[in-house]
Amino acid sequence: MIRPLSVLALSLALCGAAHGFDRAAVLAAADAPEAPKGGPREHYTKHEFRIPMRDGVRLFTTVYVPKDSSKSYPFLIERTPYSAGVREQGKLQYGVEFYPKSLGPSREFEQAGYIFVRQDVRGRYMSEGQWQEMTPHVNARRAPGEGNESQDMHDTVEWLLKHVPGNNGKAGIYGISYPGFYTSASIIDSHPAIKAASPQAPVTNLFMGDDAYHGGALMLAANFDFYSAFTSEQNPTAQPKNWESFDYGMADGYDYFLKHQNLSAILAQLQPKQRTYLEPSIEHSSYDEFWKSRDIAPHLKNVRAAVLTVGGWFDAEDLQGPFTTYQAIGRNNPGIFNGLVIGPWSHGGWAGGEGRNLGPVKFDGKTSEYFRQKIQFPFFEQHLKGVKPEQATANVNAFETGSNVWRQYSAWPPQQAKARTLYFGANGTLHWQQPAAGGGEYDEYVSDPKKPVPYIGYAATGVPREYMVSDQRFASSRPDVLVYQSEVLEEDVTLAGPVSPKLFVSTSGSDADWVVKLIDVYPQEYPAPAKEDGANAVKMAGYQQLVRGNPLRGKFRHSFEKPEAFTLGKVEALNFQLGDVNHTFRRGHRIMVQVQSSWFPLIDLNPQKFMDIPKAKPEDFQKATQRVYRAPATPSGIAVQVLAR
């Protein structure tokens, strides 16, 4: 049963994530546990303020203060571009008479008592000023109305401490996705009252593995779907009251985008205000100053708060952000608590629901409830109220998929993991040993942009959150997908850390995408779904579960700043990152790797011709023959970190 959207669910609904409007994640958040009896209206008094910043811009801020004034409370702050308003009567509402169904990250916070603060960031909804995509922390040419998130947070906290009675002098901040970015950016040179912060699925570097680009390829479906709803508005304004879903006019995004094919034609389907934020992302198709100035990681310094960074192994939008944020904070801020939690979740999936499964893949427990009750709540209680936790929070809490257990580590990647390589062999084999002479030097396929490989095996628009664990059997039977598979495993194999393809390739074109997918192949004999799963439950026998996948746009093989064309037939080495995993391939399963040159429309089409792809015309898209080499001198494979048990 789907309950009315909570404040957090509203945040997820209006962000869906920072740049991939994941409506299914909204439903998970909406299914959060019930709030305390009586709800916020009975226990909290709502205030609305316009807090002045140092440049005179005023930021609209809602504050919910406990009616019980017998004790003092810390502030718990969320800063968001998705509105500090309340969804009621089917639309967004501002005004002190409107209350959300619940407050804070989970019901435990509302029951314990906090002063909850939600703020429209500058330039969004009811706040004044000029909004910027991923506000640059350093901007020598800051225009009137543009700001700095660290300064805005400092000024906000200073004002709250002076003007909201009943506070205990301490503040915490949290947020998921774009609010996760604002959490990170707000604790740089942090105000001394900020004692705890939790950036969750934080957008960190849009070009380097977060929402906008992966491996130099545009994340087309997610960005188009998001920006068609996340539009530019003249602020202050309470508009839009509702986000309108884009009308694709057909059931399958694959058909829709293939019909329009090139990016200029795709952009033309949007209204001007829908293109305002999307167009610059498409135009800046290499790692230029536009993206570099928006990378928050190098600036995560002088953080005085305890930090708990959170992410999901199956986050389709911001999988890389938590790792980059965690590493940057640890590197730049010795002496503070710097924790990392990675669970088996889609984007924001830890915020609501039980976390028992993602699609047909089960996790054998209430993973989301465990996080909310045993990790997140005690973290804030300890650092904002001085409540000693039952057990100390580990530096790293990582859920191990496949075996479905929580693991605790002192650091990530685990220091005990050992580097090994899985090599491609003849006849589609996959081995821990380098290939011997004989058996051919390469495998090849023809990649046709007019018949690209889909990223899911069913019709959908947007990006379904379960695609990160979806069955890959639809792809393994295609002639334009190379498949390498291990023998049946005689014992469990646990990978913990980054997965890095090491390929030797050539192409008949002058550019090519190389998509690599790591897959867990279930046994052909596998237990049938339980009766409680329903008649339509997926049968997992032979299931090819995606564990991790990512592309590399070949022209960026040497540098994301300076693209280079391929030479016809020349063998070149590719080294790139798929991302991190913590997954056990169980005894009786197989390890599979698939290689292909399209992943549509998850990423945009490569014309397979060296050029600035946003300027490509229909006639520029051409077939190309791709080769992956596996000879002793050119041993393609994937480098992994293996954890002995």
Side-chain angles (χ1 to χ4, degrees):
M1 175 178 141
I2 303 302
R3 301 188 181 93
L5 291 177
S6 66
V7 170
L8 182 56
L10 173 61
S11 172
L12 286 171
L14 295 184
C15 70
H19 294 74
F21 191 44
D22 185 352
R23 294 176 180 82
V26 177
L27 302 184
D31 201 27
E34 294 285 3
K37 186 177 180 180
R41 188 182 297 274
E42 181 175 331
H43 301 288
Y44 289 81
T45 300
K46 180 181 180 180
H47 305 272
E48 293 183 339
F49 302 109
R50 288 171 171 80
I51 299 179
M53 301 294 102
R54 63 192 65 184
D55 63 347
V57 165
R58 297 179 301 170
L59 302 188
F60 185 90
T61 309
T62 60
V63 180
Y64 299 87
V65 180
K67 290 182 178 180
D68 179 3
S69 59
S70 64
K71 53 186 176 181
S72 59
Y73 304 89
F75 294 105
L76 189 56
I77 304 169
E78 181 186 16
R79 305 185 64 231
T80 177
Y82 303 120
S83 174
V86 173
R87 180 149 305 266
E88 192 169 299
Q89 300 170 2
K91 58 184 179 181
L92 185 65
Q93 306 278 12
Y94 282 83
V96 294
E97 63 274 23
F98 295 105
Y99 277 73
K101 301 298 181 183
S102 62
L103 292 168
S106 67
R107 63 179 180 177
E108 291 82 11
F109 290 84
E110 189 175 325
Q111 292 171 334
Y114 282 76
I115 301 174
F116 296 101
V117 179
R118 297 194 82 228
Q119 183 178 76
D120 289 339
V121 296
R122 101 173 24 220
R124 292 295 294 174
Y125 285 92
M126 294 298 289
S127 283
E128 300 170 353
Q130 182 65 38
W131 186 77
Q132 295 173 276
E133 184 86 79
M134 294 287 291
T135 316
H137 183 71
V138 176
N139 188 354
R141 295 176 291 182
R142 192 184 300 169
E146 293 180 348
N148 171 287
E149 302 306 334
S150 174
Q151 293 175 359
D152 284 357
M153 181 62 173
H154 187 284
D155 295 350
T156 296
V157 171
E158 191 71 14
W159 192 95
L160 291 170
L161 290 169
K162 294 177 180 178
H163 294 87
V164 177
N167 73 78
N168 71 354
K170 297 180 180 180
I173 182 170
Y174 77 101
I176 299 173
S177 192
Y178 229 139
F181 158 75
Y182 288 106
T183 300
S184 299
S186 294
I187 57 176
I188 300 169
D189 302 319
S190 50
H191 191 290
I194 302 174
K195 302 299 183 182
S198 184
Q200 303 183 1
V203 191
T204 306
N205 186 322
L206 284 172
F207 193 90
M208 293 296 188
D210 281 338
D211 303 81
Y213 285 83
H214 284 204
L218 174 69
M219 302 301 285
L220 175 61
N223 282 270
F224 183 90
D225 204 51
F226 174 79
Y227 283 111
S228 64
F230 187 76
T231 57
S232 62
E233 306 286 346
Q234 291 295 318
N235 69 296
T237 179
Q239 302 299 324
K241 291 288 187 181
N242 284 300
W243 279 27
E244 298 296 331
S245 298
F246 184 80
D247 183 7
Y248 290 87
M250 55 186 71
D252 197 351
Y254 182 96
D255 295 333
Y256 178 84
F257 288 110
L258 194 58
K259 173 184 175 182
H260 299 293
Q261 194 177 45
N262 58 306
L263 290 174
S264 60
I266 291 170
L267 270 176
Q269 308 310 307
L270 298 174
Q271 299 298 318
K273 73 175 184 178
Q274 295 174 307
R275 295 196 296 265
T276 301
Y277 301 142
L278 177 57
E279 202 156 16
S281 293
I282 291 176
E283 290 175 346
H284 293 274
S285 58
S286 61
Y287 194 51
D288 59 13
E289 191 56 35
F290 177 85
W291 299 113
K292 292 177 184 178
S293 68
R294 287 162 170 76
D295 177 12
I296 199 65
H299 307 290
L300 292 172
K301 300 176 181 179
N302 298 321
V303 177
R304 302 178 181 91
V307 182
L308 185 69
T309 303
V310 181
W313 287 123
F314 306 119
D315 187 337
E317 293 131 58
D318 295 296
L319 172 61
Q320 183 57 42
F323 294 100
T324 303
T325 296
Y326 163 75
Q327 291 160 359
I329 290 175
R331 184 168 55 250
N332 297 328
N333 303 276
I336 68 167
F337 175 78
N338 179 39
L340 176 68
V341 181
I342 304 290
W345 307 305
S346 61
H347 192 72
W350 53 90
E354 295 181 339
R356 288 182 175 275
N357 66 286
L358 179 58
V361 178
K362 297 181 179 180
F363 306 126
D364 302 337
K366 301 178 181 180
T367 65
S368 298
E369 283 191 9
Y370 174 84
F371 162 72
R372 294 193 299 266
Q373 296 172 7
K374 301 298 184 181
I375 301 176
Q376 178 177 247
F377 180 64
F379 168 77
F380 281 107
E381 285 282 286
Q382 177 183 2
H383 295 286
L384 298 182
K385 293 183 178 180
V387 178
K388 185 177 180 180
E390 292 181 8
Q391 58 184 37
T393 303
N395 289 341
V396 176
N397 283 274
F399 190 84
E400 187 177 283
T401 55
S403 56
N404 293 341
V405 294
W406 283 98
R407 303 290 189 189
Q408 286 73 42
Y409 300 109
S410 59
W412 187 266
Q415 296 173 347
Q416 55 268 49
K418 304 299 183 184
R420 295 191 67 183
T421 300
L422 277 163
Y423 293 98
F424 302 166
N427 304 313
T429 55
L430 191 65
H431 304 283
W432 294 111
Q433 297 80 31
Q434 281 194 238
E441 292 189 347
Y442 59 82
D443 299 304
E444 70 176 19
Y445 57 94
V446 176
S447 173
D448 185 355
K450 292 182 172 58
K451 299 177 182 179
V453 181
Y455 75 101
I456 49 177
Y458 53 88
T461 56
V463 178
R465 62 186 179 128
E466 68 82 37
Y467 106 81
M468 293 283 281
V469 295
S470 62
D471 191 352
Q472 300 299 301
R473 281 179 286 191
F474 73 92
S476 61
S477 60
R478 288 181 59 117
D480 52 356
V481 177
L482 298 181
V483 178
Y484 302 94
Q485 184 173 223
S486 73
E487 295 294 330
V488 174
L489 298 176
E490 296 181 355
E491 58 184 22
D492 290 357
V493 175
T494 300
L495 307 185
V499 178
S500 307
K502 309 290 185 182
L503 305 185
F504 291 89
V505 303
S506 67
T507 177
S508 65
S510 51
D511 190 16
D513 288 346
W514 303 92
V515 178
V516 177
K517 298 182 294 186
L518 176 65
I519 296 162
D520 186 339
V521 182
Y522 287 54
Q524 289 297 332
E525 293 184 1
Y526 196 83
K531 289 184 179 179
E532 56 265 27
D533 292 335
N536 296 321
V538 174
K539 296 179 180 179
M540 301 299 286
Y543 194 89
Q544 295 179 6
Q545 180 197 329
L546 180 64
V547 175
R548 185 67 69 245
N550 255 324
L552 174 68
R553 184 141 286 171
K555 65 181 179 180
F556 296 119
R557 62 198 179 280
H558 298 136
S559 167
F560 286 106
E561 301 171 47
K562 299 177 180 179
E564 297 178 39
F566 282 88
T567 300
L568 175 64
K570 180 182 178 182
V571 180
E572 299 225 31
L574 306 181
N575 299 295
F576 61 105
Q577 297 288 327
L578 292 192
D580 288 60
V581 301
N582 192 27
H583 183 80
T584 294
F585 295 83
R586 302 305 305 274
R587 183 173 66 87
H589 290 226
R590 296 174 186 259
I591 303 173
M592 177 184 284
V593 175
Q594 293 181 2
V595 181
Q596 59 203 56
S597 288
S598 52
W599 211 17
F600 192 71
L602 188 68
I603 64 173
D604 64 320
L605 288 175
N606 190 327
Q608 304 185 140
K609 173 182 177 182
F610 181 72
M611 64 182 306
D612 186 14
I613 293 178
K615 297 176 182 177
K617 297 179 173 59
E619 58 269 24
D620 291 317
F621 293 82
Q622 58 191 22
K623 293 182 182 180
T625 298
Q626 323 290 26
R627 289 180 175 177
V628 176
Y629 293 79
R630 47 176 174 73
T634 52
S636 293
I638 57 168
V640 295
Q641 300 288 315
V642 179
L643 198 60
R645 292 291 183 208

